[in-house]
Amino acid sequence: MLGTGILKGLYITAKNLVGSYYSSERLTTIQYPEQRAQLPENYRNFPFLVYDGEDAIDGLRCTACKMCEKECPPQCIYIIPERDEKGKLQKKPKVFDIDISVCMGCGICAEVCPFESIKMDHHFEVAQRNRFAGLLLHREQLAKSNKYYHSIRPKEATAVDESLAEEKRKAEEKAKAAAAAKEAAAKAAAAKAADAAKAKTDDLEEKKN
Amino acid sequence: MSLSEPIPGSTIRAVHDDFHGDLLEVSMGPHHPSTHGVFRMIVTLDGEVVVKLKPVFGYLHRNHEKLAENNAYLASIPYTDRLDYLCSLTNNWAYVHAVEKLSGIEVPERAEYLRVILGELTRLINHCCLVGFLLNDLGTSFTPLLYSLRERERMLDMIEALTGSRMMCNFMRFGGLRTDVSSEWLAQLKTYLDTTFARYLDEQDALLTGNEILLARTQGVGVLKSDLAINAGITGPMLRASGINYDIRKVDKYSIYDRFDFRVPLGDHSDTYDRYMMRMLEMHESVKIIQQAIKDIPEGPFIDPKAKNRGLRPKAGEAYARIEGPKGEIGFHLISDGTGNPYRYRVRPPSLINLTVLEDMCLGQTLADTVIILGSVDIVLGEVDR
Ligand code: SF4
Ligand code: SF4
């Protein structure tokens, strides 16, 4: 019969309208900014730099290895490593800038960083009055504490902490082993020297006799 | 040349005609809500009937291919997200498929399953959008569109929880995926498809498929003859709506599609209604594929640990790989000269090639019909213009 399709359609829309008062399944809007959706842990927006300890700049994990700068597809990271007075590299960034007006939030920098230093942020309200300078973030703005990292990505941050602790433990063990080896070597050398000295004195004594 | 005489060699009548009135040229777009982006149609009208249609595109050109030729292989993956931004995962897939072919990388079993699941989920998202927007073009002003977008939003939430981003997923890697997919996520997807999404499909069917207005507006409109479809290289649901059984998932059996039991819907009348139905039926088939894949998915690595992603330098050579994207055949042609970036990088975009027959479908139809014909082609300008 002509019109049944239309009536059926109206029934569906009526069901949805009435349903939106009862079931959250059918009412899906959120009144932003008063209400906010819970962001999933994996959500990524722009990168930030993790620091350990209290001081943001001293605690940066970044070693200025420039791996992220090289791999970033739109080339929006800019790094100058720190040098001391003699011009020796300090394994710290002197300048670490990210132009987030160019950054596309792909997450490749966080993927390639070997020192777990650069991570993807959850902060998305980045509107600025100043279109160029305001969106060029320097290391002071990029540095965020490990605590913050834990607050946005608890699972990932815990795993990272564990692997860093493991690495540190291994490095310490290695250092200890190296130190022990050195000590042993030193002892052995000393013993040898003592032996040699003893042999000499023995020799001398023999000669005396 | 007088405007009162027909243009020599053209079938179009003279511009001035005292009896029939003048021909009128209308420029639709580049900013027009029905063109789905910055796309322009210069339509010549005789009364209300289209006698000529000239598509103009290129407003969204971003130099995609040249950028990729100057970037490392890995760095191009996030750019492929931005081709057809509704289906970034299938774009990723087609690209990594081409690189894997070029450099002979094997993909572990689990990764293949996950790729199928994500690819079909992308198809659902794309078809949801298409059905919603097509009906919006028809003038149903938002109700079906919002129902479709509501479901799409739920699927995007799941994709966001997995990949970190709703649309710019950047998730596939050479030899597998960026991260593993948890079993909770798969279970959540399964529950969603079984309950909410199944209800959506039923509702959409009840709301629209038998609706008299929809039938009157779409049946017999924008017919695309099958021989023209083949000659023009049309692929995807548009080709199948013209009755040609050609689905790359069945023809090439790439990845592991030979393990799943699904059917390929075919159209009979080659009109806009068939193209609409094609999408509705394909959604049912995609749900079936995802459910089978979730059931059979094995444990194992999600990426080949030997596969090199950073600093990949394939041996000199070339490869073309294609997959059945939601819009048709999406393929990548790569030529390597042995360095860290491709010598030539070429995308075969389904939207652009499907758009080439727009004029043939629109001639003799009314202006209002061109809007729904364009809607049924399913274009995304990010991919048309690259
Ligand atoms: S953020 Fe990581 S990859 Fe980038 S320079 Fe610092 S340590 Fe290297
Ligand atoms: S997220 Fe991507 S675009 Fe942004 S800085 Fe990192 S690598 Fe570059």
Side-chain angles (χ1 to χ4, degrees):
Chain A
M1 197 185 75
L2 198 67
T4 41
I6 295 171
L7 289 179
K8 233 160 120 191
L10 284 176
Y11 169 65
I12 301 276
T13 43
K15 216 165 81 179
N16 270 284
L17 173 69
V18 178
S20 68
Y21 284 95
Y22 297 103
S23 111
S24 59
E25 277 271 283
R26 290 186 197 266
L27 183 71
T28 45
T29 41
I30 283 182
Q31 301 296 331
Y32 176 84
E34 289 82 20
Q35 290 177 341
R36 274 157 194 272
Q38 171 90 39
L39 290 173
E41 177 172 342
N42 276 340
Y43 173 78
R44 67 183 137 83
N45 201 23
F46 293 116
F48 70 98
L49 297 174
V50 187
Y51 69 82
D52 295 311
E54 294 306 314
D55 190 284
I57 300 303
D58 277 349
L60 280 180
R61 287 180 186 170
C62 177
T63 60
C65 72
K66 295 196 175 197
M67 197 83 96
C68 51
E69 187 187 40
K70 186 163 158 274
E71 295 293 330
C72 169
Q75 301 280 297
C76 63
I77 307 182
Y78 182 69
I79 301 171
I80 300 179
E82 185 95 70
R83 286 172 189 275
D84 65 6
E85 311 85 65
K86 290 193 205 108
K88 205 164 154 272
L89 283 179
Q90 287 301 301
K91 288 203 170 179
K92 282 258 165 280
K94 184 160 122 206
V95 175
F96 196 114
D97 290 351
I98 296 182
D99 187 349
I100 61 164
S101 65
V102 175
C103 171
M104 57 177 173
C106 63
I108 286 193
C109 48
E111 215 175 307
V112 298
C113 175
F115 300 98
E116 309 284 4
S117 155
I118 192 164
K119 295 286 167 199
M120 301 307 284
D121 207 343
H122 277 191
H123 179 65
F124 55 86
E125 286 147 327
V126 289
Q128 288 284 344
R129 278 169 187 270
N130 187 341
R131 178 177 158 192
F132 298 107
L135 291 175
L136 182 70
L137 301 187
H138 305 299
R139 60 177 184 173
E140 290 78 14
Q141 290 142 292
L142 289 168
K144 293 188 181 174
S145 65
N146 195 18
K147 210 165 120 211
Y148 173 77
Y149 180 35
H150 271 275
S151 73
I152 59 169
R153 292 170 185 259
K155 271 193 221 154
E156 192 188 293
T158 316
V160 164
D161 274 0
E162 272 164 18
S163 84
L164 283 182
E166 176 75 0
E167 243 167 55
K168 203 170 160 199
R169 196 179 57 75
K170 268 194 191 144
E172 263 167 19
E173 239 166 47
K174 214 171 160 193
K176 224 192 227 163
K182 219 175 174 184
E183 213 169 277
K187 243 189 209 158
K192 218 175 173 186
D195 273 358
K198 196 163 172 261
K200 227 178 183 176
T201 42
D202 283 356
D203 251 16
L204 278 177
E205 253 162 46
E206 243 169 49
K207 263 185 198 159
K208 254 191 221 165
N209 291 340
Chain B
M1 193 187 69
S2 152
L3 288 176
S4 310
E5 278 164 26
I7 303 160
S10 152
T11 51
I12 303 173
R13 71 164 170 85
V15 174
H16 281 314
D17 186 328
D18 283 340
F19 185 66
H20 290 103
D22 290 356
L23 288 186
L24 180 67
E25 198 175 75
V26 178
S27 172
M28 278 177 78
H31 284 276
H32 191 281
S34 71
T35 54
H36 300 228
V38 274
F39 174 64
R40 182 167 167 220
M41 296 187 278
I42 304 174
V43 194
T44 310
L45 295 172
D46 180 1
E48 213 190 340
V49 177
V50 178
V51 292
K52 189 170 167 224
L53 185 148
K54 193 171 157 233
V56 184
F57 41 74
Y59 298 99
L60 207 57
H61 182 66
R62 276 120 52 231
N63 230 343
H64 177 83
E65 293 181 358
K66 209 70 202 166
L67 273 178
E69 282 162 21
N70 288 304
N71 250 334
Y73 282 89
L74 173 67
S76 293
I77 299 179
Y79 286 118
T80 61
D81 289 340
R82 286 144 176 90
L83 279 174
D84 173 357
Y85 39 77
L86 297 179
C87 342
S88 57
L89 283 165
T90 44
N91 298 341
N92 281 182
W93 190 2
Y95 175 62
V96 298
H97 195 39
V99 174
E100 279 155 9
K101 208 164 161 184
L102 185 65
S103 47
I105 299 173
E106 292 291 324
V107 184
E109 188 99 330
R110 183 175 171 85
E112 291 281 22
Y113 271 91
L114 291 172
R115 281 183 182 184
V116 167
I117 293 171
L118 293 171
E120 295 304 321
L121 187 61
T122 308
R123 199 181 309 279
L124 293 180
I125 291 173
N126 179 68
H127 287 2
C128 263
C129 271
L130 173 104
V131 167
F133 280 111
L134 177 63
L135 291 157
N136 207 33
D137 290 344
L138 271 168
T140 55
S141 201
F142 262 83
T143 306
L145 175 63
L146 275 186
Y147 292 174
S148 300
L149 289 187
R150 183 181 68 195
E151 295 317 315
R152 169 173 176 256
E153 206 59 30
R154 293 200 174 116
M155 289 187 267
L156 288 184
D157 281 348
M158 264 182 264
I159 286 201
E160 186 182 33
L162 181 66
T163 68
S165 182
R166 283 153 35 88
M167 287 159 85
M168 303 298 139
C169 303
N170 182 19
F171 194 59
M172 307 250 175
R173 288 289 178 268
F174 313 135
L177 305 169
R178 181 151 54 85
T179 59
D180 201 358
V181 179
S182 67
S183 51
E184 294 91 63
W185 190 87
L186 290 175
Q188 189 197 354
L189 175 63
K190 186 168 168 18
T191 331
Y192 168 73
L193 290 179
D194 286 344
T195 56
T196 319
F197 194 73
R199 190 184 70 193
Y200 159 74
L201 283 180
D202 289 345
E203 265 188 13
Q204 199 77 354
D205 259 341
L207 181 62
L208 294 159
T209 307
N211 185 298
E212 289 86 354
I213 304 175
L214 181 80
L215 298 183
R217 281 296 306 277
T218 55
Q219 284 190 335
V221 169
V223 173
L224 174 65
K225 295 260 165 44
S226 50
D227 49 350
L228 176 64
I230 294 176
N231 288 342
I234 307 300
T235 46
M238 244 181 100
L239 178 69
R240 295 193 285 276
S242 296
I244 293 158
N245 190 353
Y246 188 81
D247 186 324
I248 299 171
R249 289 175 292 177
K250 291 276 189 196
V251 176
D252 277 10
K253 298 199 167 51
Y254 64 92
S255 187
I256 46 165
Y257 272 110
D258 48 348
R259 299 189 197 170
F260 301 112
D261 169 33
F262 65 101
R263 292 181 306 164
V264 179
L266 291 181
D268 203 12
H269 306 283
S270 334
D271 56 4
T272 307
Y273 184 72
D274 276 11
R275 290 196 279 278
Y276 159 76
M277 274 317 283
M278 215 47 48
R279 269 75 182 219
M280 292 303 287
L281 296 172
E282 279 194 5
M283 281 202 260
H284 287 278
E285 298 304 317
S286 293
V287 170
K288 257 171 45 189
I289 297 178
I290 298 180
Q291 279 164 341
Q292 290 171 44
I294 292 181
K295 201 167 108 254
D296 298 343
I297 187 166
E299 289 297 320
F302 58 91
I303 187 164
D304 182 2
K306 291 197 296 298
K308 198 171 166 192
N309 272 286
R310 235 184 60 227
L312 179 75
R313 283 166 180 270
K315 279 203 284 296
E318 63 182 294
Y320 177 73
R322 57 182 193 168
I323 67 167
E324 178 77 29
K327 296 186 163 62
E329 170 183 339
I330 166 139
F332 282 83
H333 185 190
L334 301 173
I335 302 182
S336 163
D337 54 0
T339 56
N341 39 10
Y343 173 73
R344 181 75 178 98
Y345 169 107
R346 157 92 189 140
V347 192
R348 187 224 186 262
S351 298
L352 172 66
I353 293 169
N354 290 356
L355 196 57
T356 53
V357 288
L358 184 66
E359 183 178 17
D360 301 273
M361 292 194 288
C362 290
L363 290 186
Q365 308 283 347
T366 61
L367 180 62
D369 287 342
T370 59
V371 172
I372 56 168
I373 293 171
L374 179 68
S376 74
V377 173
D378 192 8
I379 56 167
V380 159
L381 270 301
E383 185 176 76
V384 172
D385 298 339
R386 277 161 295 139

